[in-house]
Amino acid sequence: MLKKSVGIILMALLVMVLGVQSGFAAETANKLPNIKILATGGTIAGSAASATATTGYKAGALGIDVLINAVPEVKQYANVSGEQICSIDSKDMTNEIWLTLAKRINVLLADDSVDGIVITHGTDTLEETAYFLNLTVKSNKPVVLVGSMRPATAISADGPMNLLNAVRVAANKAAVGKGVLVAMNDEINGARDVTKTNTTSVSTFKAPELGFLGYINDGKPEFYRESTRRHTADSEFTTKNLSQLPYVKVIYGHADDDGIFVDAAVAAGAKGIIYAGTGNGSIHKNAEAALAKATAKGIVVVRSSRVGNGTVIDAEQSYIDEHFLNGDSLSPQKARILLSLALTKTSNLAEIQKMFNEY
């Protein structure tokens, strides 16, 4: 009888302890921010034939649940849940996916129960998606893009730590209001200035001229600066009623250039052209003649540069006379995004130039 009573008492104590632990765990979870992870595919979800293969893999082969389960440590920093937007190699990114992604993010961030977003993405066009969202997300809540340079099946896969750090950044209050961010290789970059600088290195994402926004120091996000350009909640652009974007083409300038691609873009129905010129957005005389004809037809032409650093400013008087706009310090691929969105608002050249000066 005594043994039975002791057994009952011990069982009751065990139930009580487990109940306390369960309650503590639930209370801890309730205090953590709620982060939604949206997956688009890419190398971070890639699968290769062997553990030593870092090329020749299938991008986007693994679903978001697999990625989250592979990094259980994320649950120490946030309550996470995943959603698969698409499963592509990011070289195949489209405007239509961008619109779907932006609309979904805006719906999620309008919900008070969602504190931030992490987006897993391939690295080839990650900087472009980041900048598009930087102009179209209508919230100050953190939005962080993350990818990897090695597939998930590689011995030295960088994806798991990058994903953990992205969640750490999205869950950190210091990330609020910083615009769309990119967190990779223990570094935090802003969407406007970041670019992929190396074909294969894990330290490929940098802002060569303006620098990182911060670092992830031993798991703790630390910010040292922020962008002064308009973004996210302060942006005038919206995707709410958009089903497509105006067609804008990038044309790359070079020695012995001609106007063939300019004419082709016009014939294809381009509403805008970004000319990635030499030096300070300089344009070969043959291409300039074709671009002048394009502006006369109402097509907006923006001078950018293939150099990679520096600001495109007024140069030759003919560019001013022909009504070419300046792309500021945006790369050609990001200038294309801003011009596409600008054309959803206006075709007035002065207003569009103002946008390039502000964003």
Side-chain angles (χ1 to χ4, degrees):
M1 178 68 82
L2 180 59
K3 288 182 178 179
K4 185 176 181 180
S5 298
V6 171
I8 293 172
I9 292 171
L10 289 175
M11 183 62 72
L13 288 173
L14 180 60
V15 170
M16 185 182 301
V17 169
L18 291 174
V20 170
Q21 290 179 339
S22 177
F24 178 75
E27 183 179 353
T28 301
N30 288 335
K31 290 181 179 179
L32 292 175
N34 298 313
I35 303 299
K36 193 78 172 180
I37 303 179
L38 305 182
T40 66
T43 300
I44 194 170
S47 178
S50 73
T52 57
T54 56
T55 61
Y57 52 84
K58 182 179 179 182
L62 306 178
I64 184 57
D65 290 338
V66 175
L67 298 186
I68 293 174
N69 291 335
V71 193
E73 292 81 3
V74 297
K75 296 175 183 177
Q76 298 175 20
Y77 299 91
N79 301 311
V80 300
S81 59
E83 188 174 316
Q84 198 79 39
I85 300 297
C86 61
S87 297
I88 64 168
D89 185 320
S90 76
K91 66 179 175 57
D92 297 320
M93 183 55 68
T94 67
N95 290 347
E96 290 73 23
I97 295 175
W98 280 350
L99 290 170
T100 297
L101 187 58
K103 290 174 183 179
R104 182 60 181 148
I105 290 171
N106 283 325
V107 168
L108 289 169
L109 293 184
D111 187 338
D112 291 339
S113 68
V114 177
D115 299 300
I117 301 284
V118 167
I119 302 162
T120 60
H121 199 288
T123 59
D124 281 356
T125 57
L126 186 148
E127 66 195 77
E128 294 175 66
T129 298
Y131 188 56
F132 179 80
L133 295 176
N134 201 52
L135 298 176
T136 56
V137 167
K138 313 304 290 183
S139 173
N140 283 319
K141 295 178 183 179
V143 175
V144 183
L145 277 83
V146 64
S148 72
M149 292 299 292
R150 295 169 181 164
T153 51
I155 292 174
S156 56
D158 50 328
M161 180 58 80
N162 283 345
L163 179 58
L164 174 59
N165 280 339
V167 171
R168 285 166 166 164
V169 173
N172 194 291
K173 292 183 179 179
V176 173
K178 294 292 195 301
V180 174
L181 305 171
V182 174
M184 287 183 62
N185 200 42
D186 295 334
E187 297 153 349
I188 307 170
N189 275 291
R192 185 189 185 278
D193 305 319
V194 71
T195 190
K196 187 174 182 177
T197 64
N198 188 285
T199 56
T200 57
S201 172
V202 295
S203 62
T204 183
F205 281 94
K206 300 182 184 299
E209 203 161 30
L210 299 174
F212 304 120
L213 298 190
Y215 299 95
I216 301 157
N217 295 321
D218 195 26
K220 183 181 180 182
E222 301 276 4
F223 286 89
Y224 295 90
R225 72 175 190 89
E226 59 186 67
S227 176
T228 60
R229 294 303 180 103
R230 293 177 65 182
H231 59 72
T232 54
D234 189 40
S235 172
E236 66 198 271
F237 305 114
T238 179
T239 60
K240 190 173 182 180
N241 297 314
L242 290 180
S243 58
Q244 60 183 2
L245 293 174
Y247 181 38
V248 175
K249 192 66 181 173
V250 176
I251 296 176
Y252 195 93
H254 56 85
D256 198 35
D257 201 357
D258 52 45
I260 292 176
F261 285 170
V262 174
D263 294 340
V266 173
K271 302 301 180 186
I273 294 173
I274 305 296
Y275 188 83
T278 54
N280 177 28
S282 298
I283 306 172
H284 191 286
K285 61 181 181 180
N286 294 336
E288 182 180 351
L291 289 169
K293 293 178 183 177
T295 57
K297 295 179 179 179
I299 296 168
V300 180
V301 173
V302 176
R303 294 167 48 240
S304 183
S305 177
R306 69 183 200 181
V307 171
N309 286 303
T311 302
V312 172
I313 57 177
D314 283 339
E316 299 181 25
Q317 183 61 43
S318 62
Y319 300 164
I320 298 172
D321 295 340
E322 289 155 351
H323 307 294
F324 300 159
L325 305 184
N326 302 329
D328 199 81
S329 62
L330 288 175
S331 64
Q333 59 269 31
K334 290 182 181 176
R336 183 190 79 87
I337 293 167
L338 180 53
L339 181 55
S340 290
L341 288 168
L343 288 170
T344 67
K345 304 283 291 184
T346 182
S347 58
N348 182 279
L349 296 181
E351 292 181 15
I352 294 175
Q353 184 62 69
K354 184 171 183 286
M355 293 172 184
F356 273 89
N357 296 340
E358 294 182 349
Y359 287 95

